Amino acid sequence: MRSRTARTRESGGSGWRRSTRRTRSSSTCATGGAGCGPGRASRSSCGRPSAAATTIADTAYQNIHVIREHAPTELLVLAGNHLCRMNYARLIDEHRRRNADVTLAYMELPFADAGQSGVLSTDTDHWVRTFAEKPLAAANGHGAAERALVSLGVYVFDTNSLIDLLRQDASDPGSWHDFGHDILPAALAAGLRVLGLPFRDAATDDAGYCRDVSTVDGYWLANMELLAERPRLDLHDPAWPIWTPLSQLPPARFSGRGVARESIVCAGCEIFGEVRHSVLSVGCEVGAHTVIEDSVILPNVRIGRGCRIRRAIVDAECAIPDGTVIDAESPLTPPSYVSPSGIVLFALPPAGESGDSARRQAP
C-alpha cells in the first residue's frame, strides 16, 4: 500500500490535543504515557518502577494477542510524555529502506538537557552501537557540558523482533520492563540491527521541535513556548490541522475590565480579571481584580476575585477562593508542590486528606 503521512502534535497544558496518525495498514501505533498530567511513572526509591506503575513495554507485552490478531509488519511505539512535531512516515520508510529490526528517533542535545532519556552512540551509517539511560551514561564519563545523542522515545520495531524481546523481558525478574532501560539494550545485545535517525522538522528539514513534558518544569515551559510571537509549534498552522473533536462551547467572553495579553484563552472561558502571558484551558472563569501571569490553567477552573497567580500550573476542576495567592515567592501560597525552577503545581488534595499539610518542595 502506498505510504501516507503519519504525524502528531499534542498539548496537554491548554486542554486540547492535536493528533493525526495516518499510517500504512501494515503498521500499528502503540502509545504510552506516565499517568495524568505532568509527572513520570511512579518509581521506587531505588529508581525502578514501583509495583503500581505500568510501563509501555509491560502494556505492549500484555497486548501481544492483539498485535498477533492485527498482524502488522511493524509497530510504531510512541512515548506519551513528549510534545513533538514529527512525521512518522519518514521513520517507517527509512526503517524499511535500511532493513532495520529497530529504528529510533534522536536529537543532539547538551547532555545536561537529556533528563532521564536514553543516550546513544552511532557509527557513520547511523547504526546504533551503544544505548544507556542518562544515569548510566553519566557514570561512564559524560560531562554536563557535552552534547549527546538523546532518544525521543519514538521507535519502529519489526513485529516479530519486538514480540521476542517482550517475552524475554517479561521472564526477567530483574527487569524494569522499560523500553529505554531494558528493551533497547537487549536488542543490541541480541545483535539486532538498530538504526538511529536524527529528528528533522517535517516542513523545514531543520532540527525538529520536541519537548519532554514529563516533569512540571518541562510541561510549563512547553506551554509558555506556545505564546511566542512565532512559536516553533504553531497551533494556527493550516498545514498541521487539529483533527481531534473538540467540545462545542461558546467563545471566550471578556466582561468589565477583563483583559488578556500575550495569552491563549480557550472556548467557554469568562474573564473578569487580567490574564498575562498565560494559557487558559476550556471553561475557566477568572474573577474581577484577579491577575494571572506566566501560568497554565487546566480545564474548568473557577478562580475567585482578587487572586494573584504567578508561574503556576493549576489542576483541572479547582475552585480557588477569593484573595488566594499562588506564587512560589509568597508565603501566602497554600500547601503545594514547587518544582526545582519555582513552578507551583496547585491541585485539590486527594479525598480524605486536608489541605493543611506541610508545603512540599522538590527533592
Side-chain angles (χ1 to χ4, degrees):
M1 180 174 291
R2 179 181 297 177
S3 171
R4 294 177 287 177
T5 54
R7 59 190 183 183
T8 186
R9 64 178 178 180
E10 302 177 6
S11 177
S14 43
W16 8 254
R17 172 174 174 152
R18 301 185 168 211
S19 178
T20 163
R21 295 194 184 108
R22 297 183 294 164
T23 60
R24 293 176 247 198
S25 60
S26 55
S27 298
T28 298
C29 291
T31 62
C36 300
R40 299 186 69 87
S42 173
R43 292 183 181 267
S44 65
S45 59
C46 65
R48 294 181 58 184
S50 70
T54 300
T55 65
I56 306 175
D58 186 49
T59 299
Y61 173 73
Q62 294 179 39
N63 286 278
I64 284 178
H65 65 288
V66 178
I67 297 171
R68 289 292 195 195
E69 178 182 347
H70 290 274
T73 56
E74 298 97 4
L75 278 163
L76 174 64
V77 180
L78 311 176
N81 55 6
H82 280 72
L83 175 67
C84 294
R85 176 187 169 109
M86 181 180 294
N87 187 336
Y88 297 125
R90 290 186 176 186
L91 202 67
I92 296 170
D93 289 344
E94 193 66 10
H95 174 87
R96 291 176 170 178
R97 189 181 74 83
R98 301 287 297 273
N99 194 29
D101 297 306
V102 185
T103 300
L104 61 89
Y106 69 84
M107 292 183 71
E108 183 176 345
L109 298 172
F111 187 73
D113 294 342
Q116 298 301 310
S117 300
V119 174
L120 57 133
S121 65
T122 66
D123 62 19
T124 55
D125 291 324
H126 297 291
W127 294 106
V128 177
R129 296 309 177 202
T130 63
F131 187 99
E133 285 197 321
K134 182 185 174 183
L136 297 178
N140 290 333
H142 283 282
E146 293 183 40
R147 297 186 69 81
L149 306 184
V150 179
S151 170
L152 301 180
V154 176
Y155 315 106
V156 179
F157 281 89
D158 171 79
T159 299
N160 290 331
S161 296
L162 178 58
I163 289 175
D164 290 343
L165 289 167
L166 291 172
R167 285 176 170 163
Q168 176 184 334
D169 179 74
S171 65
D172 181 0
S175 173
W176 293 12
H177 309 304
D178 180 86
F179 271 93
H181 189 270
D182 304 291
I183 303 297
L184 263 296
L188 289 170
L192 297 184
R193 293 164 56 86
V194 181
L195 181 67
L197 288 181
F199 171 39
R200 316 298 295 181
D201 185 87
T204 66
D205 204 39
D206 295 331
Y209 177 89
C210 193
R211 297 291 182 266
D212 183 348
V213 294
S214 63
T215 66
V216 170
D217 286 336
Y219 187 82
W220 176 85
L221 180 60
N223 278 274
M224 294 299 102
E225 288 180 336
L226 296 176
L227 303 176
E229 184 175 347
R230 294 181 179 178
R232 292 194 61 192
L233 181 63
D234 187 357
L235 302 179
H236 295 85
D237 183 355
W240 211 260
I242 299 174
W243 294 107
T244 304
L246 301 178
S247 301
Q248 295 300 311
L249 296 170
R253 182 173 68 178
F254 296 80
S255 300
R257 296 187 177 182
V259 64
R261 298 181 177 89
E262 299 180 283
S263 297
I264 293 174
V265 179
C266 291
C269 289
E270 293 186 273
I271 311 299
F272 297 88
E274 184 175 359
V275 180
R276 306 171 185 165
H277 197 259
S278 295
V279 177
L280 269 64
S281 303
V282 295
C284 293
E285 181 179 322
V286 178
H289 310 295
T290 284
V291 177
I292 300 173
E293 185 174 8
D294 297 331
S295 295
V296 180
I297 313 299
L298 297 184
N300 302 315
V301 171
R302 297 290 178 264
I303 302 172
R305 298 167 57 92
C307 299
R308 180 164 59 88
I309 300 174
R310 177 179 173 274
R311 287 173 58 82
I313 300 171
V314 178
D315 196 14
E317 310 291 340
C318 283
I320 298 177
D322 295 349
T324 300
V325 175
I326 301 176
D327 183 341
E329 297 180 357
S330 172
L332 300 177
T333 298
S336 305
Y337 170 86
V338 180
S339 76
S341 66
I343 305 303
V344 180
L345 179 59
F346 183 86
L348 295 173
E353 292 186 15
S354 65
D356 57 0
S357 59
R359 188 175 181 181
R360 291 171 289 174
Q361 296 288 337

